[in-house]
Amino acid sequence: MNTLFEWLRPWEPSAPVFLACILAVVLYAAGLLRGARPGFWPALSYFTGVTLIYLVTQTHYDYYSQYLFSAHRLQHLILHHLGPFLIALAMPTAVLAAGLPAAVRRWPQGPAAPVFTLLRGGYRILQQPFIAGFLFVGLIYFWLTPEIHFDAMLSIDLYWLMNWTMVLDGLLFWWLIFERGDRGVTPRLSPGKRILVLALVMPPQIALGAFITFSHQNLFEIYDVCGRAFPIDPLLDQQIGGLITWIPASMMSVAAAIIVLAFRLEKPDGQKASQ
């Protein structure tokens, strides 16, 4: 029990991350209590996504992600891929909106309307397919540039900035891919365009992961400078991290494409979807 308690304690506590996760759970739960009925599987998907993000940032796992490259890559696989994937798949907008106080829901039509208009415009720009795909892959390359990665792992502020950008960009990308409610702020892509975007982001991730995996040079020396959590050979640690960057991340695109096709074949209003 003591070991479990120690593991669940944050290695580097972050109030913004902790509060964001708690707020995400409380708002969704409040929406359920106020009558929102997303269904069992969407609710499970949402809570699982939020929980995974919390576990890799606000428990002792964060220690390993800072002192082991392979653990770091698994952390980012969850922050950028799996966690946001599950949250976006749940399409929680209606439930979260139901959980908000009525006064807060009126903000976009109140005195703050110009601010929300500006935010919506910026959001639509970020959600253009080319920009969304470029950012999705580009941020992985950016933070894995050895010199930038070295600085990010030495600075607690840069470290959390890196993690925040991973989560937020992941949410933006997967939301664009899975958006399927009434037409709103998010651009509505056809199933074909969604699958095309998913196909286009795969090769750069595969190339980066393969480069890291097969490199005979220790690319991320920061883990030697600060020490590794386990006495593992640096190149083996790097190879495992490269495989995580390469295979599971790419397979997420395949899984998403299958889900998009499944959405296309859903039966709206009891009838088979028309072509």
Side-chain angles (χ1 to χ4, degrees):
M1 180 63 71
N2 188 52
T3 302
L4 177 60
F5 176 75
E6 289 296 323
W7 191 86
L8 290 175
R9 290 177 58 186
W11 170 251
E12 293 278 359
S14 171
V17 174
F18 178 80
L19 291 174
C21 291
I22 294 300
L23 182 62
V25 170
V26 169
L27 276 181
Y28 199 90
L32 294 177
L33 292 174
R34 290 178 177 174
R37 294 291 180 267
F40 174 78
W41 293 112
L44 179 63
S45 180
Y46 178 84
F47 284 124
T48 301
V50 174
T51 300
L52 286 173
I53 290 172
Y54 179 88
L55 289 176
V56 297
T57 56
Q58 292 300 288
T59 66
H60 203 71
Y61 181 84
D62 190 44
Y63 162 77
Y64 297 103
S65 70
Q66 294 188 42
Y67 291 96
L68 205 64
F69 179 69
S70 52
H72 164 80
R73 294 315 304 148
L74 181 59
Q75 181 195 51
H76 274 204
L77 178 69
I78 290 173
L79 293 181
H80 194 231
H81 285 68
L82 186 56
F85 180 103
L86 292 171
I87 293 172
L89 183 60
M91 282 288 106
T93 306
V95 183
L96 294 174
L100 288 171
V104 176
R105 292 200 297 269
R106 289 195 294 268
W107 283 358
Q109 287 77 43
V115 176
F116 281 92
T117 300
L118 183 63
L119 290 175
R120 280 193 291 267
Y123 173 79
R124 285 191 67 85
I125 292 174
L126 292 176
Q127 291 296 70
Q128 296 306 307
F130 175 80
I131 296 175
F134 178 81
L135 287 175
F136 186 73
V137 174
L139 279 174
I140 302 174
Y141 272 77
F142 177 80
W143 290 117
L144 284 179
T145 302
E147 296 80 9
I148 295 174
H149 190 78
F150 190 98
D151 292 339
M153 300 306 289
L154 279 182
S155 166
I156 190 63
D157 293 331
L158 279 178
Y159 176 75
W160 284 116
L161 175 64
M162 173 176 63
N163 288 342
W164 272 107
T165 57
M166 287 288 100
V167 174
L168 294 176
D169 181 63
L171 286 170
L172 285 171
F173 180 81
W174 295 115
W175 207 284
L176 176 67
I177 296 300
F178 291 138
E179 172 65 43
R180 60 190 183 277
D182 296 333
R183 289 190 177 274
V185 183
T186 303
R188 184 59 53 86
L189 303 182
S190 67
K193 287 183 179 178
R194 299 180 198 215
I195 293 173
L196 177 61
V197 172
L198 289 167
L200 290 176
V201 299
M202 282 181 64
Q205 293 182 85
I206 292 172
L208 178 60
F211 173 76
I212 295 172
T213 300
F214 295 117
S215 177
H216 297 293
Q217 177 186 356
N218 185 3
L219 301 172
F220 305 100
E221 296 180 345
I222 181 61
Y223 299 95
D224 296 318
V225 173
C226 297
R228 295 179 193 269
F230 298 120
I232 183 175
D233 180 77
L235 285 182
L236 177 58
D237 184 25
Q238 183 171 291
Q239 288 166 356
I240 296 172
L243 287 172
I244 292 172
T245 305
W246 174 1
I247 299 175
S250 300
M251 293 308 297
M252 293 290 293
S253 289
V254 176
I258 294 172
I259 292 171
V260 168
L261 287 174
F263 290 160
R264 182 68 181 87
L265 297 175
E266 282 181 349
K267 296 180 180 181
D269 300 324
Q271 300 296 323
K272 189 172 182 178
S274 59
Q275 298 298 323

